[in-house]
Amino acid sequence: MPTLRNGERIPIANSREPAQIINYIAEGGQGEVYRVAYQGKEYALKWYSKLPMSEAFYDNLAHNVRMGKPNDSFLWAVALTEKIKGKFGYLMPLRPSHYREYGEFLLGDARFKSWDMLFKAALNLTDSFRILHSRGYSYQDLNEGSFFLDPDTGDVLICDNDNVAPYGVNLGVKGMPKYMAPEVVLDQSRPNTHTDRFSLAVILFRLFYIDHPLEGQYTIRFPLTDQMGAKLFGQNPVFVYDPKNSTNRPSPEAHPNVISRWKMFPPDLNAAFTKAFTDGLKDINSRITELQWIEILVRARGMLVRINGKEQFVNAYRPDSVPKECRLLRTEENIIALAPDSVLYLCQTDKFSEDYQTPSGLVKASQRDKNVYGLGNLTADTWTLTVPDRPPITVPPKGFAPLVPGIIIDFGNLKAKVF
């Protein structure tokens, strides 16, 4: 039963204007969520009505309000209430209705518009935690209830940021079972940046493969008691596709998603998750950083093409298996599959760029001959082409570079060869 009444005014710390309760929204493990009006806008109020929260917790929330959101993907605390008989809460932006809960994707109740949108969601989520960690903070409780996703755009909203704290500070939270790092499960460490990275790897794995990376034929034999959970996910976790240990392979009946998708996604993605859940299980220095994940995701996305209106992944490392509709572009670090309407991003054509969102090139088929492709220059820079037995050719902005095998495209500080 809601503890706050519609119309009730809640004083806001360091503000002369109170927030006014509009209506009750939902109840959670720590308290309640309300829609409120404050300073001419509507917000969500998370009200800690159940558990007594410490003075340190209140002070940390106040610090986060002053710090401000790391980026627009965080549903960050924008104001803290004053205490009322020992209870308090904080205001945050309301979640737009078109965002879906992460758990809905795991259940199949929500689906991304395309594989490309799945990659965009994974990149946006990873980059948000890169920014958070670069500011010296850790999230500490990353789990399936931590964020919402827009299936049509890949946009992400990260919620429940009340446990975010400076590195080395922990306010008592451990995390959710199956998402905690082994050392947290065993009480050998408090949550921190390294444990965040383990949890992030679990979240990313389930985005792509749906099933859990440590749940297979071995784990489903046991009831998940606290003691057994500590053994399976803390003392002796085994990755379902561990190349050296086959005892916990996925069950065709219980884990069909990871079996089918493991064969479908590019090898770079599978290799990264193998490292994350073998070496990275116990060695925190072997965990994949956010920047490394971004590079891996960009490389894997570079093998996604659309042919005859249907998306498919191409193993560009095996040219003999590449469809005839594709061209390959090899840079100093990556090999990229291209088909009509494929997009290149700045991070793929500028070796100094980390921008995975801004398009830099677009593939188009010739109107006169659909088998002839050109790469449109979407940048403000002029490209230079080296053509065998011919003088160099320049491609100005909005111009097209022919995707003919043997041509070398100089994007400015990065060169690529067409195959």
Side-chain angles (χ1 to χ4, degrees):
M1 183 175 180
T3 58
L4 301 178
R5 304 182 307 277
N6 292 353
E8 186 173 352
R9 295 175 179 272
I10 307 298
I12 301 298
N14 303 313
S15 175
R16 295 181 178 178
E17 183 176 344
Q20 186 170 14
I21 304 295
I22 298 176
N23 61 272
Y24 169 80
I25 296 178
E27 184 174 354
Q30 294 175 315
E32 304 152 342
V33 180
Y34 296 84
R35 184 186 302 270
V36 301
Y38 177 64
Q39 294 186 341
K41 296 182 180 180
E42 292 188 358
Y43 293 92
L45 166 65
K46 182 172 182 178
W47 185 251
Y48 298 101
S49 60
K50 293 184 177 180
L51 303 176
M53 311 306 287
S54 68
E55 191 70 28
F57 186 87
Y58 185 90
D59 292 343
N60 186 69
L61 271 176
H63 172 78
N64 288 349
V65 170
R66 293 192 298 271
M67 181 181 77
K69 61 185 177 182
N71 70 7
D72 289 338
S73 292
F74 288 87
L75 290 174
W76 200 254
V78 298
L80 187 62
T81 75
E82 293 181 359
K83 295 180 180 179
I84 302 176
K85 297 181 180 179
K87 307 296 184 182
F88 62 89
Y90 68 91
L91 304 187
M92 60 182 171
L94 288 161
R95 168 174 64 99
S97 59
H98 57 275
Y99 281 84
R100 307 293 294 272
E101 295 181 11
Y102 173 80
E104 294 182 80
F105 292 87
L106 302 183
L107 295 173
D109 295 333
R111 296 180 182 274
F112 287 100
K113 179 181 179 181
S114 63
W115 291 118
D116 186 42
M117 291 305 112
L118 168 59
F119 273 95
K120 286 184 177 179
L123 284 162
N124 289 332
L125 179 67
T126 303
D127 195 47
S128 296
F129 281 95
R130 179 190 66 81
I131 294 171
L132 179 71
H133 290 158
S134 71
R135 297 177 69 168
Y137 291 81
S138 58
Y139 184 88
Q140 307 198 10
D141 187 20
L142 182 57
N143 61 70
E144 60 191 57
S146 299
F147 53 93
F148 305 96
L149 306 149
D150 186 333
D152 295 327
T153 66
D155 290 337
V156 173
L157 288 176
I158 302 167
C159 61
D160 291 344
N161 297 291
D162 37 4
N163 288 305
V164 170
Y167 187 79
V169 175
N170 178 262
L171 300 169
V173 66
K174 282 189 63 175
M176 180 181 287
K178 299 185 183 182
Y179 291 91
M180 292 184 285
E183 64 269 27
V184 177
V185 175
L186 299 175
D187 289 322
Q188 296 172 350
S189 173
R190 289 292 188 181
N192 54 54
T193 300
H194 295 294
T195 64
D196 273 2
R197 286 173 177 157
F198 179 87
S199 302
L200 176 62
V202 176
I203 290 291
L204 292 175
F205 186 92
R206 301 201 71 183
L207 268 183
F208 284 98
Y209 305 94
I210 307 299
D211 296 316
H212 194 282
L214 303 178
E215 287 190 320
Q217 295 178 1
Y218 180 75
T219 58
I220 62 174
R221 293 164 50 192
F222 305 97
L224 193 58
T225 61
D226 290 344
Q227 184 178 2
M228 186 55 64
K231 178 180 178 181
L232 298 176
F233 298 97
Q235 295 173 356
N236 189 33
V238 178
F239 179 46
V240 293
Y241 280 117
D242 188 323
K244 299 179 181 179
N245 187 342
S246 61
T247 60
N248 198 32
R249 289 288 184 261
S251 162
E253 295 79 19
H255 317 110
N257 294 297
V258 67
I259 292 175
S260 62
R261 293 187 174 204
W262 189 259
K263 302 173 184 176
M264 178 188 68
F265 284 120
D268 294 282
L269 200 62
N270 293 349
F273 283 115
T274 299
K275 175 180 171 61
F277 296 114
T278 53
D279 297 342
L281 279 175
K282 299 295 178 68
D283 180 7
I284 62 173
N285 295 313
S286 293
R287 289 178 185 162
I288 299 175
T289 67
E290 294 76 30
L291 189 56
Q292 289 170 334
W293 271 123
I294 290 172
E295 293 171 352
I296 291 161
L297 292 168
V298 167
R299 194 178 306 124
R301 183 177 65 173
M303 297 190 190
L304 175 64
V305 296
R306 186 180 292 273
I307 298 175
N308 298 324
K310 184 178 180 180
E311 284 184 310
Q312 68 179 76
F313 292 96
V314 172
N315 187 347
Y317 300 118
R318 293 183 52 202
D320 59 311
S321 69
V322 174
K324 62 181 178 59
E325 296 89 349
C326 289
R327 306 291 181 268
L328 298 181
L329 191 68
R330 186 186 294 275
T331 69
E332 299 170 10
E333 298 180 350
N334 297 321
I335 183 166
I336 305 164
L338 299 174
D341 297 324
S342 289
V343 176
L344 289 179
Y345 296 87
L346 282 177
C347 61
Q348 294 172 297
T349 59
D350 182 347
K351 66 181 178 181
F352 300 119
S353 175
E354 298 176 357
D355 187 343
Y356 59 86
Q357 299 190 76
T358 303
S360 60
L362 175 65
V363 178
K364 286 294 182 182
S366 168
Q367 293 183 345
R368 287 183 289 184
D369 185 348
K370 296 299 182 182
N371 295 314
V372 176
Y373 301 164
L375 179 64
N377 182 357
L378 303 182
T379 74
D381 302 317
T382 297
W383 299 344
T384 302
L385 306 186
T386 301
V387 184
D389 304 321
R390 292 180 61 182
I393 300 173
T394 58
V395 180
K398 299 183 180 180
F400 279 85
L403 290 176
V404 178
I407 285 181
I408 296 175
I409 306 175
D410 186 343
F411 295 111
N413 54 42
L414 184 69
K415 294 181 180 180
K417 186 173 182 178
V418 181
F419 288 88

